[in-house]
Each structure stands twice: as C-alpha cells, then as structure tokens.
Amino acid sequence: MFKNTLRLECRKAVCNPFFFLAVLIGVVMTFFSLITMAESFARDMAQHRQISEEFGLRNPLMQMESLFNHWIGGEGSSAGASDYFFLFPLLICIPYGWSYCSERRSGYIKNMVIRTGKMQYYLAKYAALFLSGGLAMTLPLLINFLAAAMIFPAVKPDPSYMTAYGIGASSFLSMLFYGKPFLYIGMYLLVDFVFCGLIACLCFAVSDVVKNPIAVTLLPFFFLLGVHYFCDSFVYRKIEVMYTELSPMHFLRPIPMVYDTSGLVIFVWGSVLFAVTFFTAVIRRGRHEIY
C-alpha cells in the first residue's frame, strides 16, 4: 500500500502544471545566462585570436574560456544567473508546496489516512515534496549545462587560471574541480538536489501553522532571504576577515560568490533542515489525530 501511495504522490508532484511552470521559468532564466555568456565568449575569443595573429603565437589565455566557467553554475556575472539563484526558493516550492494545505481543506487527507494510515501518507507526501523540490532546482541547471556543452569547449580547468574560474585552493571540492570537473558538477548538482528537496519540505512542516497555500509557498523564500540579510548585516562585518559562506542563496552556487563554501556548513544546514522538517511533518503528525 505504501508503494502505491508513494507512486501516487510522486506522480501528483511532478505531473502537474505548477511543476512544469516552475521548470519552464527556471529554464528561461538559465537561457538568459547562456545567451549572455555566449556573447561574452564570442567577444573574448575574437580578442584572443587577434592577439595570436599579431604575435604569431597561440594566445595561452584561450584556455580560460571553458564550459566550466560559462555555464550558469560556473559564472556569477550574468543577470540570468543572479535571478535564478535568488528566486530558486520560490521555484522549488511552486510545484507541490501548496498541496498539503489544499488537501486538508478539501478533506482529501482524511480519506487517504483511512486507506493508507497516517505514517504512510505523511512519508509519501514528504518524499514527493522532496523529489519535486530537488528536480525543480536541478533540471534547469542540467539543461543549461547540456546546452552550454554544445557551445563552449570542455577545456579542463587549469589552476594557473584560478582567477578566471573563481575557485581557489580553499574552496569547497576545489581539488575535484581541477582534477575531475565533470564529477564536481555532478556532486554539486546532487548537493543542490538534496538541499532544495529539504527546503521544499519546509512548506509541509509549517502547514499546520500557516493555513494559506500561497503563504506556505512563499515562506521558504522569505526565510532564506532573512538568513541572507542577517549574514550580510550582522555576521560579515569586517572586510579584512575571510568568512565562511553561511547563506544557502550563495553556497548552493557551484562557484563561491563572496566567501568560500564549507562542506561542514552544508552538512549542518542539511541535517538541521532534515531533522526539523521530518520530525514536524512526519513524526509529530503521525502521533496526533487529524481534525
């Protein structure tokens, strides 16, 4: 019975118009980044070729122009990239974050609990929200990466051009980036998938307190925006200090924006999100009666 409930919830989460709308909006924003970077690449390569022709030597700076610093996760200068990584908390909650509020209003939950049991239903709902949030985040990124791979050369990053890639020796997974960049991209997409799945589950966790589906969908965005503002205003106070990035709006980008990302910070954030959302959404609800 649990497998059937899980299959049903996952189908509802990823086969609804809101999921397709969120992915479409994400893809459009990532393609704005792609267009900007393609134009920049064409200009830079023309300059490199001109220098090569003037001096009769291959311009070594051509090696800086790579897939890995022109896809949306490897660049931090385009409006498309800035918009996407600012609005992603909204995009990952639009597909299914509103579902529990709507189903409670309609009485659907009571029918499902009678048929499947409370824990089975809540587990399936949690898994479906996790899946929809993770996919809504990573599908546009993956599509952008594949499209960028058809335009930009997959030149292996060289640490000599560290400033062109934005990933220094102390950056998260920097050895992997310069050694096996495709694996680095895959690892970061996995981090984004898991983390954004947990963020989407915040909607489920707060649905007993916040009754309005729209407010529930918007809440994770304003929560992360508040964390981002708090870090900028009260934590990062000294210019001369190299802090560790604490804001998910920055550390979920595959390149450091201001400060280096720490694997420990990501792990602690993920563990806290999982503990809070799973306990609130599944365990606590499973112990209480449905009204």
Side-chain angles (χ1 to χ4, degrees), residues 4-5 8-9 12 103 107-118 121:
N4 294 335
T5 307
L8 173 65
E9 287 295 327
K12 287 164 54 183
E103 291 174 359
Y108 176 83
I109 293 176
K110 294 180 180 179
N111 293 330
M112 286 299 297
V113 166
I114 292 172
R115 294 172 56 190
T116 66
K118 285 187 293 186
Y121 170 74

Side-chain angles (χ1 to χ4, degrees), residues 72 80 94 233 252 275 288:
I72 190 171
I94 287 174
S233 301
L252 290 181
H288 292 79

Side-chain angles (χ1 to χ4, degrees), residues 201-211 216 219 280 285:
C201 289
L202 280 174
C203 298
F204 190 19
V206 301
S207 293
D208 281 340
V209 178
V210 182
K211 310 294 184 181
V216 164
L219 193 62
T280 305
R285 283 197 180 106

Side-chain angles (χ1 to χ4, degrees), residues 41-55:
F41 176 77
R43 289 194 302 268
D44 292 343
M45 290 303 292
Q47 293 175 358
H48 295 328
R49 282 192 293 268
Q50 183 180 357
I51 294 173
S52 297
E53 292 171 359
E54 289 180 0
F55 293 94

Side-chain angles (χ1 to χ4, degrees), residues 19-125:
F19 178 82
F20 295 120
L21 176 64
V23 172
L24 178 61
I25 294 173
V27 169
V28 169
M29 284 193 288
T30 64
F31 266 85
F32 278 125
S33 164
L34 185 65
I35 293 170
T36 302
M37 298 312 295
E39 293 173 347
S40 173
F41 176 77
R43 289 194 302 268
D44 292 343
M45 290 303 292
Q47 293 175 358
H48 295 328
R49 282 192 293 268
Q50 183 180 357
I51 294 173
S52 297
E53 292 171 359
E54 289 180 0
F55 293 94
L57 297 171
R58 183 181 182 278
N59 190 342
L61 295 181
M62 284 185 174
Q63 194 169 349
M64 294 193 308
E65 311 297 335
S66 169
L67 164 66
F68 302 105
N69 62 353
H70 282 76
W71 79 292
I72 190 171
E75 59 94 0
S77 59
S78 73
S82 298
D83 291 345
Y84 185 80
F85 284 102
F86 178 74
L87 294 174
F88 80 86
L90 276 178
L91 297 178
I92 63 177
C93 295
I94 287 174
Y96 211 47
W98 45 268
S99 63
Y100 184 79
C101 287
S102 299
E103 291 174 359
R104 182 177 54 193
R105 284 184 177 183
S106 66
Y108 176 83
I109 293 176
K110 294 180 180 179
N111 293 330
M112 286 299 297
V113 166
I114 292 172
R115 294 172 56 190
T116 66
K118 285 187 293 186
M119 288 299 293
Q120 287 83 351
Y121 170 74
Y122 292 137
L123 277 172
K125 176 68 73 176

